[in-house]
């Protein structure tokens, strides 16, 4: 397993990996309509755009992208950062890949300079992030209008 920075030519593979994961794993917690909306949003052009303002990483096994994650500034803040677009192919979930992604993101300069890091967590992944030390922002332990939990970690 190798974790490396995203390259422009990864966009198609990353998009396909995310969409497969959404349809397989996240569909247990979200409606078909919500998954279709996310699928439209997470096309290669969006992945390239996000990679333009974050530090985006991919995880490879035998030249196959099996996971990804990004970290960037929280609304332009110099002291806060956010984690984004963390996905692991269903066949690799529960095998430490997500933990490796979080560990890589937590070694990134955006994390290291931040006093606070936030993650908009899916219903599907909220318990994983809590195991990684992220807590409910402002104690709010239910999803917001976007069906996401807002979690944070202070450094």
């Amino acid at each position: 397993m190798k974790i490396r920075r995203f390259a422009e030519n990864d966009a198609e593979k990353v998009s396909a990996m995310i969409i497969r994961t959404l349809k397989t794993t996240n569909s247990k917690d979200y409606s078909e309509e919500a998954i279709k909306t996310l699928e439209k949003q997470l096309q290669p052009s969006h992945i390239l755009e996000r990679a333009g303002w974050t530090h985006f990483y991919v995880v490879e096994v035998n030249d196959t992208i099996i996971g990804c994650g990004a970290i960037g500034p929280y609304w332009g803040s110099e002291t806060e950062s956010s984690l984004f677009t963390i996905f692991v192919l269903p066949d690799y979930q529960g095998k430490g890949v997500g933990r490796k992604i979080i560990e890589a993101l937590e070694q990134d300069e955006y994390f290291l300079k931040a006093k606070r890091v936030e993650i908009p967590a899916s219903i599907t992944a909220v318990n994983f992030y809590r195991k990684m030390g992220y807590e409910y922002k402002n104690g709010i332990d239910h999803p917001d209008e976007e069906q996401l939990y807002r979690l944070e970690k202070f450094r």
Side-chain angles (χ1 to χ4, degrees):
M1 180 169 57
K2 178 174 97 174
I3 298 178
R4 64 170 174 79
R5 288 289 291 270
F6 173 90
E8 282 190 22
N9 63 349
D10 293 328
E12 294 275 343
K13 291 177 184 176
V14 168
S15 175
M17 183 271 301
I18 291 171
I19 291 166
R20 180 171 163 213
T21 303
L22 286 168
K23 288 179 175 180
T24 306
T25 304
N26 297 73
S27 62
K28 296 174 181 93
D29 297 309
Y30 291 92
S31 69
E32 185 177 337
E33 181 181 325
I35 297 294
K36 284 181 180 179
T37 299
L38 287 169
E39 183 178 351
K40 287 177 189 169
Q41 292 172 359
L42 293 166
Q43 292 299 310
S45 60
H46 174 80
I47 302 300
L48 284 167
E49 186 268 328
R50 176 150 295 166
W53 59 271
T54 64
H55 292 171
F56 204 114
Y57 295 83
V58 297
V59 182
E60 287 182 320
V61 170
N62 300 325
D63 296 322
T64 298
I65 294 176
I66 64 161
C68 67
I71 186 167
Y74 179 78
W75 296 100
S77 173
E78 293 291 321
T79 60
E80 296 177 302
S81 295
S82 285
L83 302 181
F84 303 98
T85 324
I86 300 170
F87 288 91
V88 174
L89 271 177
D91 295 347
Y92 292 90
Q93 291 172 6
K95 298 180 180 177
V97 178
R99 178 176 296 280
K100 292 286 188 197
I101 293 169
I102 297 295
E103 289 170 354
L105 295 173
E106 290 183 348
Q107 293 302 308
D108 185 274
E109 66 186 276
Y110 279 120
F111 185 89
L112 297 174
K113 72 178 184 177
K115 290 181 172 51
R116 187 184 78 88
V117 178
E118 183 169 316
I119 180 166
S122 69
I123 295 167
T124 311
V126 68
N127 290 329
F128 166 74
Y129 297 123
R130 296 205 60 228
K131 287 179 191 170
M132 297 299 297
Y134 291 81
E135 296 297 332
Y136 297 114
K137 182 178 179 182
N138 300 322
I140 299 171
D141 64 354
H142 55 274
D144 62 14
E145 66 281 349
E146 292 182 72
Q147 292 299 297
L148 297 169
Y149 288 88
R150 303 298 166 167
L151 301 178
E152 63 187 356
K153 182 186 273 189
F154 290 90
R155 298 189 6 89

